[in-house]
Amino acid sequence: MTAALTPSVDTAPRARPEPPVRPEFEGPLAPLEGIAPQQPLPLFARVWQQQAVRRLAILAVLAVLWELLARWQNNDLLLPTFVQTARALVEGLASGELLAKAAISLSVLLKGYLAGIAGAFVLTTLAVSTQFGRDLLSTLTAMFNPLPAIALLPLALLWFGLGQGSLVFVLVHSVLWPLSLATYAGFQGVPETLRMAGRNYGLTGIRYVLQILVPAALPSILSGLKIGWAFAWRTLIAAELVFGASSGKGGLGWYIFQNRNELYTDKVFAGLALVILIGLLVETLGFHTLERLTVRRWGVQR
């Protein structure tokens, strides 16, 4: 019997051919032929890029429209001119009356705003930590967020009396629920990789919230803070219009109400203008500065 002949197989590794080496090529750049590589923008374009300039231009246009409409109406009792309102505003600030009223309103607002922030932080921390906290937050926000804060003022007067406690109560209600919803939505949008990184470092509870969730959800938290501020500010003015003076001291809302009763329409508009100016200052110097130093600097928000 003869053995079958099998072809021999070469199992030795073969060397791969080296890729061809191409020679380097350097060519001279074409001259620009007298064209400047960088041309500065015109002065108007550079000035218009400033946000403050654009906002001032919008305010100036609104002021001109107001002045023209008031002169066409020709009734100072219904609509004073912009010049009359500006004069009343300057006189109120110079006498110190408007500044005192604004200080009273802002002090009450600060108490309610900070209390609302603390309550929202507690609720959202429970919501991201436990199932009961999530159910509690969803139930309470569904119940109380649609409820206007000013509607609770009669109950607040019965519970807390004629003092700042009633105003603080309605302010907490106006801040707590929108801020809680925005913060919790921001926490829900945190990427899972960041959550895993926090768990790998052994972070739990309040440390996990402060070091992982809060920095990642800061854009949503800032949006909730701005919404809560706007709700609280207009709720306070409306509450002072209805509630009046607190412990013998009235804020901007009471100033507007008093001058409306005495038919000083220019002072009424001056009080409203100061409410708007305070809102612009808080938005520009407060929230925009905070966003520029945090989320925009970190590249989280455009």
Side-chain angles (χ1 to χ4, degrees):
M1 189 175 71
T2 61
L5 297 176
T6 57
S8 61
V9 179
D10 187 7
T11 59
R14 296 180 180 179
R16 295 181 180 180
E18 294 292 334
V21 179
R22 297 179 180 178
E24 296 183 359
F25 174 76
E26 294 183 2
L29 295 177
L32 295 177
E33 298 180 355
I35 301 177
Q38 183 178 4
Q39 295 181 355
L41 291 175
L43 179 61
F44 177 78
R46 282 179 288 169
V47 172
W48 188 252
Q49 284 183 344
Q50 303 297 323
Q51 185 182 25
V53 174
R54 296 194 300 269
R55 288 196 170 192
L56 288 176
I58 294 174
L59 294 177
V61 171
L62 293 177
V64 171
L65 293 177
W66 178 1
E67 184 72 20
L68 294 176
L69 180 61
R71 290 184 181 275
W72 176 78
Q73 182 74 23
N74 197 21
N75 190 339
D76 296 342
L77 185 62
L78 294 180
L79 181 64
T81 63
F82 175 78
V83 175
Q84 292 174 334
T85 303
R87 185 184 302 115
L89 178 61
V90 172
E91 291 175 354
L93 293 175
S95 64
E97 183 181 9
L98 273 176
L99 292 177
K101 300 296 184 183
I104 294 172
S105 295
L106 290 176
S107 64
V108 178
L109 176 69
L110 188 60
K111 296 176 184 177
Y113 190 62
L114 293 179
I117 292 175
F121 181 77
V122 172
L123 282 178
T124 51
T125 301
L126 288 175
V128 298
S129 302
T130 62
Q131 181 64 47
F132 174 76
R134 287 189 287 273
D135 296 337
L136 178 65
L137 179 61
S138 61
T139 303
L140 291 181
T141 51
M143 290 171 55
F144 295 114
N145 192 38
L147 185 63
I150 197 66
L152 295 177
L153 187 58
L155 289 177
L157 294 176
L158 290 176
W159 293 342
F160 301 101
L162 300 175
Q164 290 188 359
S166 302
L167 297 177
V168 172
F169 177 77
V170 296
L171 290 179
V172 170
H173 174 80
S174 62
V175 174
L176 179 60
W177 312 117
L179 180 56
S180 298
L181 286 176
T183 304
Y184 184 67
F187 287 169
Q188 292 295 101
V190 175
E192 189 62 29
T193 53
L194 292 178
R195 297 175 182 271
M196 294 174 62
R199 288 192 290 267
N200 289 338
Y201 280 104
L203 299 177
T204 57
I206 191 67
R207 293 180 58 201
Y208 175 74
V209 173
L210 290 177
Q211 299 184 27
I212 299 297
L213 297 184
V214 170
L218 196 55
S220 298
I221 295 175
L222 289 177
S223 298
L225 288 173
K226 288 193 287 187
I227 295 172
W229 148 256
F231 283 4
W233 187 225
R234 67 188 186 189
T235 298
L236 175 62
I237 300 302
E240 288 180 342
L241 284 170
V242 177
F243 174 65
S246 173
S247 302
K249 298 179 180 180
L252 282 175
W254 181 244
Y255 175 85
I256 295 170
F257 181 77
Q258 275 186 319
N259 288 283
R260 194 270 299 176
N261 289 337
E262 299 174 3
L263 298 181
Y264 292 134
T265 314
D266 55 344
K267 292 185 178 181
V268 172
F269 275 84
L272 294 174
L274 185 57
V275 171
I276 295 173
L277 290 175
I278 291 175
L280 287 175
L281 288 176
V282 172
E283 182 76 17
T284 304
L285 300 180
F287 292 113
H288 282 187
T289 303
L290 185 59
E291 288 179 351
R292 188 178 68 255
L293 295 177
T294 55
V295 292
R296 292 184 183 178
R297 184 178 180 183
W298 301 340
V300 180
Q301 188 182 56
R302 296 182 61 183

